[in-house]
Amino acid sequence: MPFTPRVFSGIKPSGDLHLGNYLGAIRRFVPLQDTHETIYCVVDMHAITVWQEPEDLRRWTYEIAAAYIASGLNPERSIIFNQSQVVEHAELSWIFNCVARMGWMARMTQFKDKAGENSEHVSLGLFAYPSLMAADILLYKSTGVPVGDDQKQHLELTRDIAKKFNHDFRKQIKSLGFDEEYFPHTESMVTGPATRVMSLKDGKKKMSKSDASDMSTIYMMDDADTISKKIKRATTDPEPLPSEAAGLEGRAEASNLVSIYAALADRSVDDVLREFGGAGWGTFKPALADLAVSVLSPIAGEMRRLVGDKPEMDRILRNGADRARAIAVPVMDEVRQIVGFVR
Ligand code: TYM
């Protein structure tokens, strides 16, 4: 039975959206609408693996859904919804908790980073986080997952879970009429110049929702002046820009700003350096600030309008959840049969 080429991705409503989320994920979601069946989720169940104030969770959920649409996702074409409205995510993730091994989870670098010294005191949900992520993707038998570089390891684990499920239940899968495997192989789609956007203050640190310094992160809702100010005050080295990408080697901050420019302009890093090679930061930073404002400000404006229209947002999310459920329910019916649950 051929699998539908389907793309799934998600973003956690656990903080204000930033340029890394936009360039590493959302901006790349948009063109996939032309070539794939696309499902984009606001993963609220993942967000609560660490404490979230309920009011903030709700606000960020709307904000991400609004960012999807304001960035060019069309809710008629893409399925846009929040995870908790489709309970099958929780059900499949429980089954995957029983397929995945403790050792697999314990090796996840994101878990180790987040738990730090404190691993006895973090939630059980944080430990099982990648299992829920595998459920998100495989519930729709998705074969492509556009994400930033930091999610690669989670997607390897998704493949491991699919493989073990296919293997452990091979007899039942066969008797349901499937030749080889029930869950497909998923590819991470980590492409383009900005798969890892770094902090504006420290080129060795990833830009993140939880950075303590406001100046290191450009937020999607920042106004034009704030965006310009942050870019102009970004840490750089004293050298001018090189004429080709090789010249950025060992220059983390310079490399980050050029990559951001390239991603915002839909150009390659080499192409950007052909234009700016030899120029100083006094030339490049204002050009980058203008470009960032011209791309981000209209999106922020549209996001504000959308989050102000709750009935419309609720309608979009409910409709997305209905369409997601239409795919998820028959898959879960089969999974229950495969596992041996009596219905
Ligand atoms: P989250 O919410 O941390 O990030 C959402 C997306 O943004 C990307 N990203 C970045 N890309 C480039 N540079 C950065 N500095 C940067 N920071 C974040 C992330 O790689 C991600 O693509 N576990 C996921 C959410 C998730 C998911 C899924 C993703 C849950 N289920 C199923 C794909 C498929 C996460 O925490 O994303």
Side-chain angles (χ1 to χ4, degrees):
M1 213 179 287
F3 294 119
T4 323
R6 195 176 275 152
V7 151
F8 182 99
S9 198
I11 298 184
K12 272 193 315 274
S14 57
D16 291 322
L17 275 175
H18 56 75
L19 186 65
N21 299 132
Y22 176 66
L23 294 178
I26 305 175
R27 189 176 172 91
R28 296 178 33 242
F29 295 171
V30 180
L32 291 169
Q33 292 183 119
D34 297 330
T35 49
H36 292 70
E37 193 180 332
T38 42
I39 308 179
Y40 297 119
C41 190
V42 184
V43 290
D44 47 7
M45 285 156 58
H46 275 105
I48 63 163
T49 55
V50 298
W51 170 252
Q52 303 297 336
E53 288 296 334
E55 280 316 314
D56 288 340
L57 181 67
R58 228 186 310 272
R59 178 167 59 80
W60 284 324
T61 299
Y62 284 122
E63 192 179 299
I64 294 175
Y68 283 166
I69 297 163
S71 303
L73 292 182
N74 175 348
E76 306 296 321
R77 291 172 75 190
S78 291
I79 296 181
I80 295 173
F81 72 110
N82 58 309
Q83 191 183 27
S84 61
Q85 286 207 53
V86 179
V87 293
E88 283 75 10
H89 288 250
E91 188 177 357
L92 186 59
S93 91
W94 179 257
I95 292 170
F96 286 170
N97 283 345
C98 302
V99 171
R101 306 290 93 180
M102 295 281 282
W104 299 2
M105 301 291 165
R107 276 198 294 278
M108 293 293 108
T109 54
Q110 286 221 332
F111 174 74
K112 288 195 264 189
D113 289 349
K114 284 208 170 149
E117 304 284 285
N118 201 25
S119 67
E120 291 291 309
H121 300 281
V122 297
S123 75
L124 188 54
L126 189 68
F127 190 66
Y129 182 111
S131 176
L132 177 58
M133 199 165 145
D136 297 341
I137 296 164
L138 296 173
L139 186 55
Y140 305 96
K141 296 190 169 184
S142 317
T143 50
V145 186
V147 280
D149 177 77
D150 59 349
Q151 297 300 314
K152 272 187 183 159
Q153 198 190 24
H154 286 154
L155 295 176
E156 274 166 33
L157 197 132
T158 297
R159 288 194 282 275
D160 289 342
I161 291 179
K163 229 189 281 169
K164 189 167 188 308
F165 182 96
N166 289 338
H167 178 266
D168 291 354
F169 296 104
R170 59 193 177 284
K171 241 177 44 207
Q172 293 76 11
I173 290 169
K174 231 176 161 168
S175 71
L176 260 189
F178 292 89
D179 294 341
E180 294 271 322
E181 48 185 25
Y182 185 71
F183 289 119
H185 177 84
T186 37
E187 287 292 340
S188 41
M189 305 163 97
V190 181
T191 54
T195 55
R196 194 172 182 84
V197 176
M198 308 308 276
S199 152
L200 298 180
K201 287 290 172 196
D202 178 354
K204 294 190 178 55
K205 242 174 73 187
K206 201 179 64 173
M207 187 178 281
S208 86
K209 292 181 195 125
S210 52
D211 202 306
S213 154
D214 231 23
M215 290 305 284
S216 54
T217 308
I218 293 175
Y219 295 104
M220 294 300 286
M221 294 291 232
D222 278 348
D223 60 34
D225 283 349
T226 309
I227 294 174
S228 293
K229 198 166 76 192
K230 287 180 178 178
I231 290 175
K232 288 178 185 156
R233 295 198 189 154
T235 305
T236 44
D237 53 34
E239 303 298 317
L241 286 164
S243 310
E244 43 192 60
L248 290 170
E249 198 90 6
R251 297 177 65 185
E253 284 83 11
S255 172
N256 188 38
L257 293 185
V258 174
S259 300
I260 291 173
Y261 190 106
L264 285 168
D266 284 326
R267 289 166 63 181
S268 70
V269 165
D270 273 318
D271 192 36
V272 172
L273 290 177
R274 257 194 295 280
E275 181 183 342
F276 287 98
W281 296 107
T283 305
F284 185 75
K285 280 183 172 177
L288 175 57
D290 285 349
L291 174 63
V293 167
S294 75
V295 173
L296 299 178
S297 286
I299 297 176
E302 182 61 4
M303 280 171 70
R304 272 188 209 98
R305 188 189 71 75
L306 285 164
V307 293
D309 190 352
K310 291 276 153 39
E312 173 66 359
M313 291 305 294
D314 285 334
R315 190 193 62 75
I316 290 171
L317 290 173
R318 255 198 318 270
N319 179 262
D322 287 343
R323 288 163 63 205
R325 227 175 281 117
I327 304 171
V329 165
V331 170
M332 261 332 284
D333 278 344
E334 287 172 348
V335 170
R336 287 189 210 103
Q337 282 187 63
I338 290 169
V339 170
F341 288 163
V342 173
R343 299 289 286 183

